[in-house]
């Protein structure tokens, strides 16, 4: 058994405990190929597969609350039931960089590593740790772009005569949502529904309001 296949504890070598996460977007697809390949990788590297989590027929744009497999996996991460999560590809976890970084941060906080087969990413290695840091930089860049889009959307809304709320804080200060989006969550949701009711498509609504399509889909669902 190679050094990459085990961890040293109390002077001995134990197998790395790995959870596999599988997801397909439609009911016509299945997760068998993903699972078979990941189990083969685990066998080659001497990992012990202790859990398998699956979201079948669920879009990666859905939030954690609509993906029971992902939710169960992250709860198991909190309980430190395994040492690494293995997934077929980065898009199996999430469709946006911000979503991916949120999942990565949850794993990192509990000392759980991530292996992505198609990208060859393994955060237990030096190169993988460096990639994790780079993802943080790009996610911050993405949040900056979203904020700019929100501000542009607010400016357009004001120019169209739309009255924007200030939240419900008694001290008059901006809430966390207002600082992030430029408006409170209720106003943002209301704006998205109004645009959708007017016949605007999801992509155009996202550009207009300044949020990702996954946010628009969650609001409309």
């Amino acid at each position: 058994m190679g050094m990459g296949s085990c961890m040293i504890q109390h002077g001995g070598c134990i197998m790395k405990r790995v959870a596999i996460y599988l997801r397909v977007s439609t009911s016509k697809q299945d997760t068998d190929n993903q699972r078979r390949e990941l189990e083969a990788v685990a066998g080659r590297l001497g990992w012990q597969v202790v859990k398998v989590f699956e979201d079948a027929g669920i879009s990666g744009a859905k939030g954690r609350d609509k993906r029971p497999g992902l939710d169960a996996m992250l709860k198991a991460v909190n309980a430190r039931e395994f040492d690494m999560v293995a997934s077929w590809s980065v898009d199996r976890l999430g469709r946006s960089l911000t979503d991916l970084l949120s999942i990565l941060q949850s794993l990192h906080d509990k000392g759980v590593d991530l292996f992505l087969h198609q990208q060859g990413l393994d955060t237990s290695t030096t190169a993988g740790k460096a990639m994790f840091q780079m993802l943080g930089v790009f996610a911050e860049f993405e949040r900056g772009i979203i904020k700019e889009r929100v501000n542009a959307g607010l400016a357009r809304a004001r120019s169209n005569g739309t009255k924007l709320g200030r939240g419900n804080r008694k001290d008059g200060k901006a809430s966390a949502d207002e600082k992030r989006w430029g408006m409170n969550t209720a106003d943002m949701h209301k704006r998205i529904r109004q645009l959708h009711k007017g016949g605007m498509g999801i992509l155009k609504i996202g550009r207009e309001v300044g949020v990702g399509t996954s946010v628009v889909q969650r609001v409309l669902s």
Side-chain angles (χ1 to χ4, degrees):
M1 187 180 293
M3 287 300 293
S5 61
C6 68
M7 302 183 300
I8 304 299
Q9 282 193 0
H10 306 299
C13 182
I14 64 171
M15 296 179 73
K16 181 176 289 186
R17 300 169 304 159
V18 174
I20 290 176
Y21 176 73
L22 311 167
R23 185 187 65 77
V24 289
S25 300
T26 70
S27 58
K28 294 180 180 180
Q29 298 171 306
D30 62 61
T31 58
D32 289 349
N33 289 337
Q34 294 178 30
R35 180 169 183 164
R36 187 162 45 247
E37 185 62 31
L38 289 169
E39 286 177 340
V41 171
R44 288 196 300 271
L45 297 177
W47 297 342
Q48 179 187 9
V49 177
V50 295
K51 294 269 187 175
V52 177
F53 301 95
E54 179 177 337
D55 284 316
I58 300 177
S59 169
K62 296 289 187 182
R64 174 178 173 177
D65 59 328
K66 301 291 178 61
R67 294 166 64 183
L70 178 65
D71 183 58
M73 183 194 78
L74 292 176
K75 287 179 179 177
V77 165
N78 288 334
R80 197 63 170 76
E81 295 180 11
F82 36 79
D83 309 302
M84 174 181 278
V85 171
S87 189
W88 171 254
S89 177
V90 63
D91 62 359
R92 299 302 88 194
L93 290 174
R95 291 290 185 177
S96 79
L97 185 58
T98 302
D99 289 342
L100 175 62
L101 190 73
S102 176
I103 293 171
L104 273 170
Q105 193 62 56
S106 296
L107 300 181
H108 182 72
D109 289 346
K110 295 297 180 179
V112 176
D113 288 307
L114 175 67
F115 173 81
L116 297 174
H117 182 58
Q118 290 294 289
Q119 286 73 37
L121 176 68
D122 181 349
T123 62
S124 68
T125 67
T126 301
K129 286 182 173 64
M131 181 61 72
F132 175 76
Q133 297 298 325
M134 286 301 297
L135 284 172
V137 172
F138 285 117
E140 185 63 34
F141 177 65
E142 183 183 53
R143 284 192 290 270
I145 291 176
I146 289 173
K147 186 175 181 180
E148 288 179 5
R149 288 176 179 171
V150 168
N151 290 336
L154 286 172
R156 284 193 297 270
R158 291 191 184 98
S159 67
N160 292 332
T162 302
K163 185 177 180 181
L164 302 174
R166 283 293 303 164
N168 57 6
R169 285 184 58 129
K170 294 181 179 179
D171 58 9
K173 294 182 180 179
S175 66
D177 288 330
E178 289 172 310
K179 289 177 181 177
R180 181 182 181 188
W181 302 111
M183 66 181 94
N184 62 48
T185 302
D187 285 335
M188 182 182 71
H189 289 189
K190 183 178 179 181
R191 177 70 173 154
I192 288 173
R193 293 192 184 98
Q194 286 176 336
L195 293 173
H196 185 257
K197 189 175 181 180
M200 188 176 291
I202 289 175
L203 289 174
K204 193 170 182 180
I205 292 174
R207 288 194 294 268
E208 176 72 20
V209 180
V211 298
T213 55
S214 61
V215 174
V216 177
Q217 289 174 328
R218 282 198 295 272
V219 172
L220 296 179
S221 65

